[in-house]
Amino acid sequence: MTKVLIVDDEIPEQRHLSDILYRSFSGSVTVQCADNGKEAVAQASLWNPDIILMDIEMPQMNGIEASKIILESNPGCRIIFVTAYSLFEYAREAVKLRVSDYILKPVVKEEVVAAFEKALDSIGVQRQLEGLRDGDESESGEKGAQIVRKVKRWIEKNDSSIFVSLDSVAEMLS
């Protein structure tokens, strides 16, 4: 079950995003909501969500500040910003934080689903790599070697100047 935290100071937006997720990923997500960044930090520390859909402009603590704090304690969490603001500074901060995606309001269902699937793929790859690192070498050794060879081929085939992130590796492995 994927744990999702939706953080938005607008209750109708929380409901809309929850509805999209429950309808698109029926039976595989559980959702909690927070009304601002301060609540998001508190809930994230207690609940440890896999994915957070977070507004940027909110009272008490904005989404960027909340994301910084959350990612310090839970670097494996995937954050998707959902905001009405297309300001360059916000996009720049999102890149620095390596958030999973940045969606503008009003949200379009297909964009939310695509961003969520991208985050799920990234989490899946991260868990596979952690499993290989932590697992029994006799069981996972060959599979791990295959994944490493595939990633090496992909990096060699692509321009070495591209930014290689866990998300880009996840995309390649899926």
Side-chain angles (χ1 to χ4, degrees):
M1 187 71 68
T2 303
K3 296 188 290 186
V4 183
L5 179 61
I6 296 174
V7 187
D8 200 304
D9 58 326
E10 299 172 20
I11 303 302
E13 191 68 27
Q14 289 179 11
R15 289 184 183 136
H16 181 58
L17 290 168
S18 293
D19 186 54
I20 290 171
L21 295 177
Y22 280 127
R23 288 177 186 262
S24 301
F25 301 94
S26 177
S28 64
V29 296
T30 182
V31 176
Q32 287 190 7
C33 295
D35 296 334
N36 58 60
K38 192 173 179 180
E39 283 183 28
V41 170
Q43 284 193 28
S45 69
L46 295 172
W47 195 49
N48 200 25
D50 300 302
I51 299 173
I52 299 175
L53 283 83
M54 183 159 357
D55 193 4
I56 294 177
E57 281 296 323
M58 296 180 290
Q60 295 186 25
M61 181 186 294
N62 72 36
I64 291 171
E65 290 303 315
S67 295
K68 287 177 185 176
I69 294 168
I70 291 167
L71 290 171
E72 281 178 18
S73 62
N74 184 1
C77 180
R78 300 300 183 267
I79 296 178
I80 300 169
F81 281 137
V82 181
T83 183
Y85 299 93
S86 61
L87 299 173
F88 173 75
E89 186 59 29
Y90 287 160
R92 190 172 77 122
E93 287 296 319
V95 169
K96 282 183 187 177
L97 288 170
R98 293 188 174 166
V99 299
S100 187
D101 219 322
Y102 191 101
I103 301 171
L104 290 176
K105 292 179 182 176
V107 297
V108 175
K109 176 187 174 191
E110 291 76 19
E111 288 180 9
V112 173
V113 169
F116 196 80
E117 287 174 340
K118 177 181 166 188
L120 285 173
D121 287 346
S122 177
I123 290 168
V125 168
Q126 179 181 353
R127 288 180 180 163
Q128 277 185 331
L129 294 174
E130 287 171 357
L132 293 173
R133 182 191 67 213
D134 299 337
D136 178 13
E137 297 224 0
S138 62
E139 289 180 25
S140 61
E142 182 55 34
K143 187 172 183 179
Q146 288 174 350
I147 291 173
V148 169
R149 284 193 297 271
K150 188 173 182 180
V151 170
K152 281 183 177 179
R153 281 194 307 269
W154 179 78
I155 291 171
E156 289 168 359
K157 187 172 111 179
N158 289 282
D159 183 358
S160 61
S161 67
I162 65 168
F163 176 73
V164 177
S165 68
L166 190 55
D167 287 339
S168 61
V169 173
E171 236 175 77
M172 181 272 306
L173 288 175
S174 58

